[in-house]
Amino acid sequence: MDTKSEIIKTNSSDSKDIVLKMLDNIVLFGEKLSLPSSFDDFNDDYTATNGVPYKDYDMSTYTLYYKNKKIGFVDLSKNNDIHGLFLDNDISNSNFNICDIGYNSNKADVINVFGEPTDQTEETLIYGENSDKQVVFSFNGDKIRSIKIFC
């Protein structure tokens, strides 16, 4: 199985294309993952428990585990389609990254690989026009604090 993500270096302002490439180049515990997908596509090492339904939406947020260790949260529809992925920041780059950008990366690394964000604040770089397809990098100083993927 291919576990190497594609390098996206770009200066393009077309954030939709950048986000689609990001969603197609996620590495999670040695396996390349493309979103959107179904939780049913994940292997048996992953479990999702304690679903909390969203009000007015046909989905719930579940605690996500890998080999019985909590690694974050996943938003799933009733038919197990993944709509969001939020991984804890103690996961190493070798276990989770998007085009080699992971929790050991900083703001300059993110901008160098993905180009200028669609929007940003002092604490976030946002790629994508809306939460249907969006990747949000949040920072504590210059170091990535969280990566939220919406698809």
Side-chain angles (χ1 to χ4, degrees), residues 105-120:
S105 303
N106 60 42
K107 284 182 184 178
D109 295 332
V110 173
I111 292 170
N112 186 45
V113 170
F114 302 123
E116 289 298 319
T118 308
D119 198 7
Q120 66 184 38

Side-chain angles (χ1 to χ4, degrees), residues 94-151:
S94 62
N95 288 329
F96 167 65
N97 68 75
I98 303 170
C99 301
D100 293 329
I101 295 294
Y103 284 108
N104 294 334
S105 303
N106 60 42
K107 284 182 184 178
D109 295 332
V110 173
I111 292 170
N112 186 45
V113 170
F114 302 123
E116 289 298 319
T118 308
D119 198 7
Q120 66 184 38
T121 68
E122 189 173 317
E123 296 178 351
T124 61
L125 297 176
I126 301 165
Y127 292 86
E129 300 295 328
N130 59 55
S131 61
D132 287 341
K133 297 227 185 305
Q134 191 173 65
V135 179
V136 179
F137 298 91
S138 297
F139 297 86
N140 185 7
D142 194 45
K143 185 172 164 83
I144 293 177
R145 180 186 70 219
S146 70
I147 300 171
K148 298 173 186 147
I149 301 168
F150 302 95
C151 54

Side-chain angles (χ1 to χ4, degrees), residues 4 10-11 22 36-37 41 44 49 57 62 66 68 75 77-78 83 88 96 98 100 115 117 121 133-134 137 150-151:
K4 185 72 175 154
T10 183
N11 292 320
M22 286 178 178
S37 68
D41 297 334
D44 291 340
T49 64
Y57 290 95
Y62 293 84
Y66 178 75
N68 298 317
D75 287 344
S77 67
K78 290 192 187 234
H83 291 277
D88 291 340
F96 167 65
I98 303 170
D100 293 329
T121 68
K133 297 227 185 305
Q134 191 173 65
F137 298 91
F150 302 95
C151 54

Side-chain angles (χ1 to χ4, degrees), residues 44-105:
D44 291 340
D45 290 332
Y46 294 91
T47 54
T49 64
N50 305 321
V52 177
Y54 278 90
K55 184 178 179 180
D56 300 327
Y57 290 95
D58 188 24
M59 73 177 139
S60 299
T61 297
Y62 293 84
T63 304
L64 181 63
Y65 295 86
Y66 178 75
K67 294 185 177 180
N68 298 317
K69 180 185 185 281
K70 180 181 172 268
I71 61 168
F73 300 93
V74 62
D75 287 344
L76 299 175
S77 67
K78 290 192 187 234
N79 61 353
N80 274 349
D81 289 334
I82 298 172
H83 291 277
L85 188 60
F86 318 97
L87 298 173
D88 291 340
N89 64 359
D90 63 347
I91 297 176
S92 69
N93 283 13
S94 62
N95 288 329
F96 167 65
N97 68 75
I98 303 170
C99 301
D100 293 329
I101 295 294
Y103 284 108
N104 294 334
S105 303

Side-chain angles (χ1 to χ4, degrees), residues 31-45:
E31 294 186 47
K32 190 170 178 185
L33 171 67
S34 294
L35 294 175
S37 68
S38 171
F39 192 73
D40 297 335
D41 297 334
F42 280 41
N43 68 44
D44 291 340
D45 290 332

